Amino acid sequence: MDAAEAPPPPPSPAATTTASNVAADRRRLPLPEWQRCLSAVGRFADEKVGRIARDDPRRVAHSFKVGLALTLVSVLYYVTPLFNGFGGSAMWAVLTVVIVMEFTVGATLSKGVNRALATLVASSLAIGAHKGASLVVSSENTESILLIVFIFFVASAATFSRFIPEIKARYDYGVGIFILTFSLVAVSSYRVEELMPLALQRTSTIFVGVAICLCTTVLVFPVWAGDDLHKLAVGNLDKLADFLEGMETECFGENARSGNLEGKDFHDAYMSILSSKDKEDSLCTLAKWEPINRKFGFRYPWSQYQTLGTLCRQCASTMEALASYVAILRKYQYPEANPQLYMKVQKTCSQMSMYSARTLRELSSAVRSMTTPSAMNKDLSAAMKSANGCRNELLQDSALLQLSDMVTQINEITESVNNLARLARFKNPEKARNDVVINVRSQ
Amino acid sequence: MDAAEAPPPPPSPAATTTASNVAADRRRLPLPEWQRCLSAVGRFADEKVGRIARDDPRRVAHSFKVGLALTLVSVLYYVTPLFNGFGGSAMWAVLTVVIVMEFTVGATLSKGVNRALATLVASSLAIGAHKGASLVVSSENTESILLIVFIFFVASAATFSRFIPEIKARYDYGVGIFILTFSLVAVSSYRVEELMPLALQRTSTIFVGVAICLCTTVLVFPVWAGDDLHKLAVGNLDKLADFLEGMETECFGENARSGNLEGKDFHDAYMSILSSKDKEDSLCTLAKWEPINRKFGFRYPWSQYQTLGTLCRQCASTMEALASYVAILRKYQYPEANPQLYMKVQKTCSQMSMYSARTLRELSSAVRSMTTPSAMNKDLSAAMKSANGCRNELLQDSALLQLSDMVTQINEITESVNNLARLARFKNPEKARNDVVINVRSQ
C-alpha cells in the first residue's frame, strides 16, 4: 500500500473533539447572522430541492410546462386581435390551465374532458332553468327566488353524489365544476341580458384552455401514466427479489442479531410494495386515458397490472411473516437451543430463496423488455421440487410451511406474468433474437 | 310454539325453483321497459344511496350545508344594494364557496385561510411586478413581454414547490391559488386601468365567501375532524380486540378448515386497521385547525393519536402473522400429525388472546369516555405472566414466540394510552364516579 494512501494515525478522541470544536468556533465566529441564514437556505435548497429534482427530472420539466402553458394563455390575452374574440372571459382560460394541468398525460386529459363536459352540461341546465323560470313566473323577484331554490337543490344533490364511491373515484372533479358552473350561470342569468353569447364565449375559452394544456402536455416531454405503471410493476418484482436476497443475509448472516426488522433495507422494500396499491390503482385509471401512448397502444390490458400487483403484495406479506418469524427465532436464542433444526431451517430457506429470487428476476426482466418469459422456468421448478421434496422435513418445524406457501405464490405470479404477456402480445424472445441476428447479417 | 309462527314445510327444491320461476316470469312479463328501468333506478337509489346516507347521516347534512352556503352567496348577489359594493366580482365569492366548503370544520378552515393568504400574497406580488415593470420600461409592448416572463418563472417555481413533500401536505391548495391569482392579476394589469380597486374588490369578495363557508360549517351541524380522529383511535383498539376474539373461533373453531383468511370478518378488521394511516394523518392535521372544538379544546395532544395508531398497526401485523401461521398449520393437517403440540398451542393461544382482548377493550372504553385507565391492568399482567411462564413451553413450537411478542406490543399500547390520558388530562374514573354520587345525593 502506498504511504500517501494510508489513513493518518487516529488521534485520541478527546484531543480531536477539542481541536475540531475550536476550529469550528473560529470558522463560525466572523459569519454574520444574514450570511448564516443564507448558507442554511442554500444548503436546504441544494439538499432537499436538488434531491427532489434528481429523483425525477420530469418534475422540473413539468414545472416549466405549467409555466409554458400559462405563458401561451397570457400571450393569447396580450395579442389584441386574438383576444377580441374571447372578451373578458379570457381569465377562464387562465383558470382552466391552472386547474387542468397535471403531471401525466392521462390525468390532464381526464381532467380536461371532465371540465369541458361538466361545463357544457351545467350551462345548458342553468340556461334551461332560467328559461323555464321566466316562462312560469312573470315577476322578476319571484324568478330570482325560484332560481335560488334551484341552486340550493341542485348543489345539495350534486354534493351528495360525491359521496358515492364510483363517482368520487372518477368524476369528483367534474361534479365540482358542475356545481360551480351551474351556480355561476344561474346567478348571472338574472343580471346579464344576453346570456347565450356569454355562455358560448366562456365555454369556448375553456376549450381553448384545455386545448393549450393538452398540446403542452403531449408535445413537450410527455409523462405517461402507463410508463409509470409499467415501471411500478417491474419495480415490485425486483423488490420481491431484493427482499429474498436481503432476508438471507440479514436474518441468517453473521451480524443478524437484533429481532427488529424495522429500518432495514429489505423491510423498506416490503413496505413500499405493500403501500403501492393506491398509486397502482390511480395510475391504472389514468393509463386507460392514454391510447395515444405509442409504446402500449390502444386497448392495452392495463387491469392485468392490478392483478399482478395484488399477487405481489400477498407474496410480500408472506415473505415478511417469514422474515419476522426467523428474526424472532434469533431473538429467543433458538439457534443455540436447537442447533440441528436451525441448520436445517437455514439450508432450506437459503435454497428456496435463491431459486425464487432468480425466478422473480427473470420475470421482471421479461416484463421490462416486454418479451414473453420462457415457457418453463427452471429455477421455479427447482424451488417447487425442493418445496415438495422436503415437506415432511418441513413439518418438523411448522413455520417452514410458510416457505412452501411462498413458492406457491411465486408460481401464481409467474402465471399472471404469462397472462399479461399473452394479452399484451409481448415479443417472442426467440423471434426477437432472430430478428437481431437477421438485422446484423443484413447489414 | 304457536302454529302461526311455525315455518311452512320446505317444498322439494325442484318444485320451488320451477314455481318461483314461473311466478317471476308472470310478474315480469307485463312490465314495460321504462317501468323496469325506473324500478331498477329506484332499487339502486334505495340500496346504494340509502346506505351511503345511513352509514353517515352527516353526509346528508353536509350536502344541504353546501346548498345553503351557495344560496347565501346567491342572495348576496340578488339583493341589489348589497351587491353594488362588490361589483362584477361577486362570482369570486361563488367560486370560493364551491372550492372551500369541505366536510370537516378543520378542512374548511385550513382551505379558507390558505385561499385568503395565497390571494393576498399573490395579488401584492403581481401588483408589485406590474409597478416594477412599468417603472423600468417605458413602452407597453416591452412591459407585457416582461410580465409574461415573470408569469413563466413564478408559475414554474411555484409548481416545482408542490413536489416538496412538506408543501404538498399542507399548502398544495394554497400554492395552486397563488399561481392562479398571480397569473390573473398580472394578465389583467395590462388591460385594467384601475388595478388597485379591482384587486381590493376581489379580495374582499373572497373574504366574504370564506366567511360564509366558515359560518355555515361551524354553526350548522358542525363536523369536527378531531371527533373523527378520536373515534378512529377507539375503533382501532376495538378492532384489535375483535380480531383476537375472531381469530380464536375462526382458527381453532370446528368449522375452521380452509387455510385462506381473506374475506373473513376478522381479516377485514385487520386490513382496515392497516390502511388507517393516511386517514389518521390527514385527520390529525385537520384536528389541529379546530381549537374551537369544545370537547377537546386548545392544545390537545393530537399527535399522540398517531403514536397510538402506529402501535396498533404493528400489533395488527403481528396478529395477522400469527393467524396466517395457525391457518397454515391447519392446512397441512398439523393437528392430526402432532395432536399434543396442537392442543398446547391452542390452549396457550386461547388464554393469551382472551386476556389481551380484555385489556384492549378496557383501553378502548377508557379512551372513548376520556377517563384515565386503571393504573395496573389485571388482565394484562395475567397475559404477561402467562407469556413469561410458558416461554420454555413455547420454545417447543417456535411460532408461539410470536404470541409473546404480541403481548409485549399490547403492553406498549397500554403505555401509549396512559401517556395520552396524562397529556390530555383525562378524567379520573374514581373522581368521576364520586362526582356522580355527589350529584345524585345533592339532588
Side-chain angles (χ1 to χ4, degrees), chain A residues 48-49 52 63-64 66-68 70-71 77-78 80 91 95 148 152 155-156 159-160 164 166 180 183-184 186-187 190-191 325 328-329 331-332 397-398 401 404-405, chain B residues 48-49 52 63-64 66-68 70-71 77-78 83 91 95 147-148 152 155-156 159-160 164 166 180 183-184 186-187 190-191 325 328-329 331-332 397-398 401 404-405:
Chain A
K48 188 123 197 166
V49 176
I52 288 168
S63 306
F64 284 121
V66 174
L68 179 64
L70 273 174
T71 308
Y77 193 92
Y78 279 121
T80 321
M91 53 148 287
L95 201 143
I148 286 181
F152 177 76
S156 301
T159 305
F160 185 78
I164 299 170
E166 288 83 359
L180 175 64
S183 315
L184 276 182
V187 163
Y190 172 63
R191 301 211 158 259
Y325 170 70
I328 284 176
L329 284 192
K331 191 171 162 189
Y332 292 99
D397 187 84
S398 46
L401 289 172
S404 103
D405 238 42
Chain B
K48 188 122 196 165
V49 176
I52 289 169
S63 306
F64 284 121
V66 174
L68 179 64
L70 273 174
T71 309
Y77 193 92
Y78 280 121
F83 165 70
M91 53 147 287
L95 200 144
L147 279 177
I148 286 180
F152 178 76
S156 302
T159 305
F160 185 78
I164 299 170
E166 287 83 359
L180 174 64
S183 315
L184 276 182
V187 163
Y190 171 63
R191 301 214 157 258
Y325 169 71
I328 283 176
L329 283 193
K331 191 170 160 189
Y332 291 100
D397 187 84
S398 45
L401 290 170
S404 104
D405 239 43

XYZ file of all heavy atoms in Angstrom, chain A residues 48-49 52 63-64 66-68 70-71 77-78 80 91 95 148 152 155-156 159-160 164 166 180 183-184 186-187 190-191 325 328-329 331-332 397-398 401 404-405, chain B residues 48-49 52 63-64 66-68 70-71 77-78 83 91 95 147-148 152 155-156 159-160 164 166 180 183-184 186-187 190-191 325 328-329 331-332 397-398 401 404-405:
670
model
N -32.420 19.403 -0.345
C -33.814 18.979 -0.479
C -34.314 19.143 -1.922
O -34.773 18.192 -2.545
C -34.667 19.842 0.465
C -36.076 19.389 0.554
C -36.412 19.091 1.988
C -37.644 18.250 2.079
N -37.782 17.695 3.406
N -34.211 20.394 -2.406
C -34.724 20.686 -3.735
C -33.950 19.896 -4.786
O -34.533 19.307 -5.705
C -34.669 22.199 -4.012
C -35.115 22.512 -5.411
C -35.519 22.930 -2.995
N -35.095 16.318 -4.851
C -36.399 16.149 -5.492
C -36.256 16.208 -7.008
O -36.865 15.418 -7.733
C -37.381 17.234 -4.988
C -37.764 16.931 -3.548
C -38.630 17.293 -5.848
C -38.482 18.059 -2.864
N -42.738 21.465 -14.229
C -42.857 22.835 -13.728
C -42.746 23.824 -14.881
O -43.541 24.771 -14.976
C -41.753 23.113 -12.704
O -41.776 22.137 -11.703
N -41.763 23.610 -15.768
C -41.609 24.536 -16.892
C -42.771 24.416 -17.874
O -43.144 25.386 -18.527
C -40.271 24.304 -17.602
C -39.113 24.871 -16.834
C -38.070 24.074 -16.407
C -39.087 26.225 -16.509
C -37.014 24.606 -15.677
C -38.035 26.765 -15.777
C -36.995 25.945 -15.363
N -45.927 23.866 -17.032
C -47.023 24.682 -16.493
C -46.752 26.147 -16.807
O -47.644 26.887 -17.254
C -47.179 24.468 -14.977
C -48.205 25.425 -14.404
C -47.582 23.037 -14.677
N -45.471 26.580 -16.598
C -45.096 27.955 -16.925
C -45.375 28.257 -18.387
O -45.945 29.301 -18.728
N -45.012 27.297 -19.261
C -45.193 27.485 -20.709
C -46.672 27.631 -21.066
O -47.061 28.542 -21.818
C -44.589 26.291 -21.451
C -44.705 26.314 -22.963
C -43.915 27.486 -23.520
C -44.191 25.013 -23.565
N -49.147 28.576 -19.189
C -49.672 29.862 -18.710
C -49.182 31.002 -19.596
O -49.914 31.954 -19.872
C -49.247 30.092 -17.261
C -50.181 29.488 -16.241
C -49.611 29.638 -14.846
C -51.539 30.176 -16.315
N -47.926 30.896 -20.051
C -47.389 31.924 -20.940
C -48.198 31.974 -22.228
O -48.545 33.057 -22.713
C -45.918 31.608 -21.255
O -45.236 31.408 -20.025
C -45.270 32.754 -22.006
N -53.976 36.497 -24.392
C -54.662 37.634 -23.801
C -54.030 38.947 -24.281
O -54.724 39.922 -24.536
C -54.571 37.526 -22.281
C -55.493 38.449 -21.530
C -56.761 38.040 -21.151
C -55.092 39.736 -21.192
C -57.606 38.880 -20.470
C -55.933 40.583 -20.505
C -57.191 40.156 -20.144
O -58.026 40.990 -19.452
N -52.698 38.933 -24.400
C -51.994 40.165 -24.727
C -52.127 40.521 -26.203
O -52.204 41.690 -26.574
C -50.501 40.056 -24.380
C -50.238 40.291 -22.919
C -49.638 39.326 -22.129
C -50.597 41.496 -22.325
C -49.403 39.544 -20.792
C -50.368 41.724 -20.988
C -49.766 40.744 -20.223
O -49.543 40.966 -18.901
N -53.810 41.457 -29.000
C -55.169 42.001 -29.014
C -56.110 41.396 -30.059
O -57.254 41.075 -29.723
C -55.111 43.522 -29.150
O -54.017 43.989 -28.373
C -56.385 44.170 -28.654
N -59.925 35.213 -18.761
C -59.459 34.730 -17.462
C -59.930 33.295 -17.186
O -59.293 32.569 -16.438
C -59.929 35.643 -16.352
C -61.410 35.890 -16.357
S -62.024 36.132 -14.690
C -61.948 34.496 -14.018
N -57.710 30.239 -15.638
C -58.192 29.383 -14.561
C -58.148 27.914 -14.989
O -57.719 27.039 -14.226
C -59.623 29.802 -14.230
C -60.176 29.433 -12.875
C -61.057 30.563 -12.369
C -60.977 28.162 -12.936
N -82.926 30.646 -6.904
C -82.177 30.351 -5.681
C -82.565 28.981 -5.143
O -81.707 28.200 -4.705
C -82.419 31.456 -4.624
C -81.643 32.709 -5.032
C -81.971 31.002 -3.248
C -81.769 33.849 -4.067
N -80.097 25.759 -4.615
C -79.993 25.033 -3.354
C -80.107 23.528 -3.593
O -79.262 22.748 -3.143
C -81.088 25.498 -2.386
C -81.092 24.759 -1.085
C -80.131 25.041 -0.120
C -82.027 23.775 -0.813
C -80.111 24.372 1.077
C -82.008 23.088 0.391
C -81.053 23.399 1.337
N -77.248 22.009 -6.039
C -75.944 21.956 -5.363
C -75.950 20.870 -4.291
O -74.972 20.120 -4.153
C -75.608 23.310 -4.754
N -77.065 20.746 -3.532
C -77.115 19.719 -2.484
C -77.036 18.326 -3.085
O -76.262 17.479 -2.636
C -78.410 19.848 -1.671
O -78.492 21.112 -1.080
N -73.562 17.645 -4.470
C -72.588 17.423 -3.398
C -72.758 16.035 -2.810
O -71.779 15.331 -2.548
C -72.766 18.465 -2.279
O -72.681 19.765 -2.855
C -71.709 18.316 -1.219
N -74.016 15.606 -2.626
C -74.236 14.277 -2.064
C -73.685 13.200 -2.998
O -73.121 12.210 -2.551
C -75.720 14.031 -1.795
C -75.964 12.731 -1.113
C -75.731 12.600 0.245
C -76.388 11.617 -1.829
C -75.914 11.389 0.878
C -76.567 10.403 -1.202
C -76.334 10.289 0.160
N -70.743 9.013 -3.308
C -70.854 7.692 -3.920
C -69.475 7.305 -4.446
O -68.891 8.035 -5.265
C -71.892 7.710 -5.055
C -73.273 8.085 -4.486
C -71.959 6.358 -5.762
C -74.323 8.374 -5.546
N -68.067 5.332 -6.626
C -67.762 5.292 -8.061
C -67.634 6.700 -8.630
O -66.787 6.961 -9.484
C -68.861 4.537 -8.833
C -68.857 3.037 -8.615
C -69.579 2.641 -7.338
O -70.055 3.548 -6.622
O -69.643 1.441 -7.043
N -70.045 24.536 -9.664
C -69.523 25.892 -9.876
C -70.197 26.560 -11.070
O -70.741 27.668 -10.966
C -68.011 25.804 -10.108
C -67.305 27.096 -10.468
C -67.406 28.074 -9.319
C -65.848 26.833 -10.802
N -74.064 27.213 -10.628
C -74.362 28.348 -9.751
C -74.023 29.655 -10.455
O -74.806 30.603 -10.427
C -73.555 28.260 -8.456
O -73.586 26.970 -7.944
N -72.840 29.690 -11.097
C -72.411 30.936 -11.734
C -73.379 31.359 -12.818
O -73.808 32.518 -12.869
C -71.014 30.772 -12.327
C -69.871 30.983 -11.347
C -68.549 30.840 -12.067
C -69.978 32.375 -10.721
N -76.490 30.357 -13.330
C -77.826 30.650 -12.797
C -77.837 32.018 -12.119
O -78.776 32.794 -12.276
C -78.244 29.563 -11.815
N -76.774 32.326 -11.375
C -76.702 33.620 -10.702
C -76.600 34.748 -11.732
O -77.290 35.766 -11.632
C -75.512 33.651 -9.721
C -75.181 35.075 -9.329
C -75.830 32.843 -8.485
N -79.635 36.346 -14.048
C -80.531 37.382 -13.584
C -80.052 38.761 -14.042
O -80.838 39.641 -14.354
C -80.613 37.308 -12.066
C -81.354 38.438 -11.423
C -82.705 38.642 -11.676
C -80.703 39.317 -10.558
C -83.384 39.685 -11.091
C -81.376 40.352 -9.960
C -82.722 40.540 -10.236
O -83.387 41.563 -9.648
N -78.733 38.940 -14.082
C -78.184 40.268 -14.353
C -77.763 40.460 -15.807
O -77.826 41.552 -16.348
C -76.953 40.523 -13.478
C -77.288 40.414 -12.033
C -76.434 41.310 -11.193
N -77.127 41.536 -9.956
C -77.801 42.633 -9.682
N -77.826 43.615 -10.529
N -78.439 42.743 -8.541
N -40.604 -14.099 11.518
C -40.524 -15.372 12.245
C -39.074 -15.760 12.493
O -38.684 -16.113 13.610
C -41.253 -16.447 11.450
C -41.017 -17.808 11.982
C -41.568 -18.183 13.196
C -40.225 -18.709 11.298
C -41.328 -19.422 13.714
C -39.985 -19.951 11.806
C -40.531 -20.308 13.012
O -40.289 -21.531 13.527
N -37.561 -13.620 15.093
C -37.967 -13.994 16.449
C -37.189 -15.214 16.928
O -36.769 -15.287 18.088
C -39.499 -14.248 16.489
C -40.219 -12.905 16.462
C -39.909 -15.017 17.726
C -41.711 -13.029 16.413
N -36.942 -16.138 15.993
C -36.133 -17.310 16.344
C -34.803 -16.872 16.943
O -34.357 -17.376 17.966
C -35.839 -18.142 15.094
C -36.930 -19.021 14.507
C -36.312 -19.955 13.482
C -37.603 -19.827 15.606
N -34.004 -13.964 18.183
C -34.175 -13.147 19.391
C -34.235 -14.047 20.633
O -33.700 -13.695 21.676
C -35.471 -12.360 19.244
C -35.710 -11.268 20.264
C -36.923 -10.474 19.817
C -37.534 -9.647 20.919
N -38.819 -9.082 20.452
N -34.899 -15.183 20.497
C -35.055 -16.060 21.660
C -34.012 -17.184 21.660
O -34.275 -18.262 22.179
C -36.476 -16.618 21.713
C -37.489 -15.547 22.022
C -38.230 -14.961 21.009
C -37.662 -15.110 23.329
C -39.141 -13.959 21.297
C -38.564 -14.114 23.620
C -39.306 -13.543 22.613
O -40.187 -12.547 22.886
N -40.539 -28.487 11.688
C -40.723 -27.140 12.211
C -41.813 -26.487 11.399
O -41.627 -26.155 10.228
C -39.449 -26.316 12.154
C -39.674 -24.999 12.869
O -39.531 -24.965 14.093
O -40.046 -24.018 12.199
N -42.927 -26.298 12.063
C -44.141 -25.920 11.349
C -43.996 -24.613 10.585
O -44.607 -24.425 9.539
C -45.265 -25.796 12.354
O -44.795 -25.065 13.464
N -43.440 -24.191 6.822
C -44.527 -24.372 5.859
C -44.810 -23.061 5.135
O -45.248 -23.060 3.986
C -45.779 -24.844 6.582
C -45.687 -26.289 7.091
C -46.875 -26.595 7.965
C -45.636 -27.242 5.906
N -43.108 -22.892 1.799
C -43.686 -23.573 0.644
C -44.894 -22.799 0.133
O -45.172 -22.777 -1.069
C -44.005 -25.020 0.997
O -45.353 -25.196 1.212
N -45.589 -22.086 1.048
C -46.667 -21.208 0.621
C -46.131 -20.113 -0.281
O -46.755 -19.750 -1.285
C -47.300 -20.552 1.853
C -48.777 -20.865 1.949
O -49.115 -22.034 1.699
O -49.556 -19.953 2.257
N -78.039 1.768 -2.670
C -76.721 2.415 -2.658
C -76.776 3.766 -1.948
O -76.046 3.996 -0.990
C -76.275 2.602 -4.108
C -74.872 3.082 -4.243
C -74.090 2.099 -5.061
C -72.621 2.333 -4.894
N -71.881 1.194 -5.392
N -77.652 4.639 -2.448
C -77.725 5.991 -1.903
C -78.187 5.942 -0.452
O -77.628 6.613 0.419
C -78.658 6.858 -2.768
C -78.813 8.233 -2.163
C -78.111 6.955 -4.179
N -75.339 4.879 1.775
C -74.352 5.947 1.986
C -74.881 6.955 3.006
O -74.146 7.423 3.870
C -74.030 6.633 0.642
C -73.216 5.679 -0.239
C -73.275 7.928 0.853
C -73.069 6.144 -1.654
N -74.311 17.960 2.489
C -74.828 18.319 1.168
C -75.726 19.542 1.271
O -75.601 20.483 0.475
C -75.596 17.146 0.570
O -74.797 15.994 0.568
N -76.618 19.532 2.274
C -77.517 20.676 2.417
C -76.764 21.928 2.855
O -77.144 23.044 2.512
C -78.660 20.350 3.388
C -79.699 19.462 2.776
C -80.013 18.229 3.314
C -80.356 19.865 1.618
C -80.963 17.403 2.731
C -81.310 19.053 1.029
C -81.603 17.819 1.579
N -73.748 22.763 1.868
C -73.165 23.359 0.662
C -74.242 24.131 -0.092
O -74.027 25.265 -0.533
C -72.534 22.280 -0.248
C -72.075 22.889 -1.559
C -71.375 21.606 0.446
N -75.447 23.501 -0.194
C -76.558 24.191 -0.842
C -76.874 25.500 -0.131
O -77.057 26.541 -0.776
N -76.868 25.462 1.209
C -77.183 26.661 1.993
C -76.157 27.766 1.759
O -76.521 28.935 1.521
C -77.222 26.282 3.473
C -77.525 27.420 4.449
C -78.923 27.950 4.211
C -77.377 26.939 5.891
N -74.208 28.224 -0.808
C -74.358 28.782 -2.158
C -75.584 29.676 -2.238
O -75.561 30.716 -2.909
C -74.466 27.653 -3.180
C -73.131 27.138 -3.693
C -73.332 25.938 -4.586
C -72.415 28.237 -4.465
N -76.657 29.269 -1.535
C -77.861 30.101 -1.527
C -77.554 31.460 -0.905
O -77.949 32.505 -1.429
C -78.968 29.395 -0.723
O -79.096 28.064 -1.223
C -80.280 30.106 -0.863
N -75.851 38.198 -4.098
C -75.757 38.700 -5.461
C -77.086 39.319 -5.892
O -77.119 40.335 -6.585
C -75.387 37.542 -6.380
C -74.952 37.960 -7.764
C -73.597 38.176 -8.035
C -75.867 38.112 -8.783
C -73.185 38.545 -9.299
C -75.457 38.487 -10.048
C -74.125 38.694 -10.305
O -73.715 39.064 -11.547
N -78.194 38.682 -5.477
C -79.502 39.130 -5.947
C -79.959 40.409 -5.246
O -80.615 41.256 -5.833
C -80.556 38.032 -5.733
C -80.516 36.971 -6.792
C -80.287 35.650 -6.487
C -80.718 37.319 -8.129
C -80.257 34.685 -7.464
C -80.682 36.363 -9.105
C -80.455 35.045 -8.779
O -80.423 34.108 -9.748
N -75.120 44.016 -3.326
C -74.324 43.624 -4.471
C -73.490 44.772 -5.029
O -72.350 44.595 -5.457
C -75.266 43.071 -5.545
C -74.646 42.969 -6.891
C -73.662 42.039 -7.131
C -75.029 43.826 -7.904
C -73.086 41.967 -8.374
C -74.453 43.753 -9.141
C -73.472 42.825 -9.382
N -68.943 36.851 -8.465
C -68.734 35.456 -8.868
C -67.522 34.836 -8.169
O -67.441 33.621 -8.010
C -68.590 35.360 -10.372
C -67.532 36.279 -10.941
S -66.737 35.543 -12.371
C -65.738 34.274 -11.637
N -67.300 31.116 -6.527
C -66.180 30.211 -6.775
C -65.526 29.790 -5.455
O -65.213 28.613 -5.245
C -65.171 30.940 -7.661
C -64.185 30.098 -8.430
C -63.943 30.751 -9.791
C -62.878 29.962 -7.717
N -43.820 41.069 -18.235
C -44.810 40.428 -17.368
C -44.981 38.947 -17.721
O -45.122 38.097 -16.834
C -46.162 41.150 -17.464
C -46.274 42.417 -16.613
C -47.614 43.099 -16.842
C -46.118 42.066 -15.126
N -44.951 38.652 -19.030
C -45.087 37.248 -19.437
C -43.906 36.429 -18.922
O -44.066 35.294 -18.442
C -45.220 37.149 -20.974
C -46.624 37.611 -21.381
C -44.976 35.736 -21.460
C -46.876 37.552 -22.861
N -44.054 33.209 -16.403
C -43.415 31.933 -16.702
C -42.581 31.453 -15.518
O -42.722 30.319 -15.060
C -42.540 32.066 -17.956
C -41.813 30.807 -18.311
C -42.481 29.745 -18.917
C -40.461 30.662 -18.029
C -41.815 28.580 -19.242
C -39.799 29.491 -18.349
C -40.468 28.456 -18.950
N -44.711 30.909 -12.111
C -45.547 29.707 -12.186
C -44.690 28.448 -12.143
O -45.034 27.469 -11.468
C -46.404 29.733 -13.449
N -43.545 28.443 -12.852
C -42.680 27.258 -12.851
C -42.159 26.989 -11.447
O -42.203 25.855 -10.967
C -41.499 27.453 -13.805
O -41.956 27.700 -15.105
N -44.959 25.765 -9.174
C -45.343 24.392 -9.495
C -44.316 23.411 -8.951
O -44.663 22.371 -8.393
C -45.472 24.206 -11.012
O -46.384 25.172 -11.514
C -45.978 22.817 -11.348
N -43.023 23.767 -9.100
C -41.994 22.865 -8.589
C -42.101 22.708 -7.079
O -41.913 21.620 -6.543
C -40.594 23.353 -8.975
C -39.532 22.390 -8.578
C -39.306 21.249 -9.336
C -38.790 22.575 -7.422
C -38.343 20.329 -8.963
C -37.833 21.661 -7.035
C -37.609 20.540 -7.814
N -42.321 19.356 -3.203
C -41.679 19.208 -1.892
C -42.735 18.661 -0.920
O -43.794 19.262 -0.747
C -41.138 20.571 -1.406
C -40.101 21.090 -2.405
C -40.540 20.457 -0.015
C -39.669 22.521 -2.176
N -43.374 18.470 2.257
C -43.949 19.290 3.328
C -44.957 20.288 2.755
O -45.997 20.548 3.355
C -42.854 20.059 4.074
C -42.003 19.187 4.987
C -40.893 18.492 4.229
O -40.806 18.672 2.997
O -40.124 17.747 4.854
N -52.777 30.798 -9.651
C -53.970 31.308 -10.333
C -54.087 32.824 -10.171
O -54.201 33.566 -11.163
C -55.208 30.615 -9.736
C -56.564 31.106 -10.223
C -56.709 30.820 -11.700
C -57.683 30.441 -9.453
N -51.218 34.877 -11.895
C -51.365 34.962 -13.357
C -52.512 35.887 -13.717
O -52.372 36.757 -14.597
C -51.638 33.583 -13.964
O -50.786 32.639 -13.408
N -53.650 35.738 -13.018
C -54.827 36.542 -13.351
C -54.556 38.024 -13.163
O -54.838 38.835 -14.054
C -56.013 36.119 -12.488
C -56.801 34.930 -12.998
C -57.964 34.642 -12.089
C -57.293 35.194 -14.420
N -51.631 39.556 -12.911
C -50.578 40.035 -13.806
C -51.137 40.216 -15.217
O -50.831 41.197 -15.900
C -49.406 39.063 -13.819
N -51.962 39.295 -15.670
C -52.537 39.395 -17.013
C -53.501 40.579 -17.087
O -53.463 41.369 -18.036
C -53.262 38.077 -17.387
C -54.188 38.289 -18.561
C -52.266 36.994 -17.711
N -52.492 44.569 -17.397
C -52.186 45.225 -18.661
C -53.424 45.939 -19.200
O -53.325 47.006 -19.794
C -51.691 44.166 -19.636
C -51.533 44.658 -21.044
C -50.614 45.662 -21.359
C -52.302 44.120 -22.071
C -50.468 46.114 -22.645
C -52.152 44.556 -23.365
C -51.236 45.557 -23.646
O -51.100 45.992 -24.915
N -54.592 45.357 -18.963
C -55.799 45.893 -19.585
C -56.609 46.797 -18.638
O -57.265 47.712 -19.066
C -56.721 44.753 -20.026
C -56.046 43.836 -20.993
C -56.994 43.282 -22.009
N -56.220 42.898 -23.163
C -56.129 43.599 -24.261
N -56.814 44.707 -24.395
N -55.365 43.212 -25.254
N -50.237 -18.063 10.365
C -49.445 -19.210 10.764
C -50.343 -20.353 11.236
O -50.189 -21.507 10.817
C -48.472 -18.779 11.856
C -47.794 -19.929 12.503
C -46.843 -20.658 11.800
C -48.123 -20.307 13.788
C -46.228 -21.742 12.379
C -47.518 -21.385 14.372
C -46.574 -22.107 13.665
O -45.976 -23.177 14.229
N -52.055 -21.953 8.383
C -51.184 -22.865 7.628
C -51.060 -24.202 8.356
O -51.068 -25.268 7.739
C -49.809 -22.201 7.406
C -49.939 -21.167 6.297
C -48.756 -23.227 7.033
C -48.687 -20.387 6.054
N -50.983 -24.122 9.691
C -50.928 -25.352 10.481
C -52.091 -26.265 10.113
O -51.919 -27.464 9.888
C -51.043 -25.023 11.969
C -49.829 -24.475 12.697
C -50.078 -24.530 14.195
C -48.594 -25.280 12.351
N -53.972 -26.146 7.428
C -53.971 -26.507 6.014
C -53.149 -27.771 5.787
O -53.490 -28.609 4.969
C -53.376 -25.335 5.230
C -53.516 -25.412 3.730
C -53.092 -24.069 3.151
C -52.728 -24.133 1.704
N -52.122 -22.851 1.299
N -52.038 -27.875 6.496
C -51.161 -29.028 6.276
C -51.418 -30.122 7.308
O -50.504 -30.868 7.673
C -49.700 -28.586 6.289
C -49.366 -27.741 5.087
C -49.317 -26.366 5.166
C -49.122 -28.346 3.856
C -49.027 -25.591 4.060
C -48.837 -27.587 2.741
C -48.787 -26.213 2.843
O -48.503 -25.466 1.748
N -42.585 -25.135 20.258
C -43.012 -24.745 18.920
C -42.697 -23.273 18.746
O -43.321 -22.396 19.336
C -44.496 -24.977 18.689
C -44.829 -24.726 17.238
O -44.643 -25.644 16.436
O -45.217 -23.596 16.917
N -41.702 -23.059 17.899
C -41.092 -21.743 17.819
C -42.098 -20.652 17.464
O -41.960 -19.505 17.887
C -39.995 -21.792 16.792
O -40.483 -22.465 15.653
N -43.726 -18.094 19.809
C -42.996 -16.935 20.313
C -43.649 -15.650 19.834
O -43.597 -14.623 20.492
C -41.548 -16.999 19.844
C -40.735 -18.106 20.518
C -39.413 -18.256 19.840
C -40.560 -17.785 21.988
N -45.941 -14.136 22.364
C -45.397 -13.350 23.470
C -44.968 -11.977 22.955
O -45.045 -10.984 23.673
C -44.272 -14.122 24.143
O -43.043 -13.635 23.797
N -44.568 -11.907 21.702
C -44.278 -10.613 21.077
C -45.532 -9.740 21.057
O -45.473 -8.540 21.323
C -43.809 -10.835 19.638
C -42.432 -10.261 19.422
O -41.588 -10.453 20.311
O -42.207 -9.626 18.372
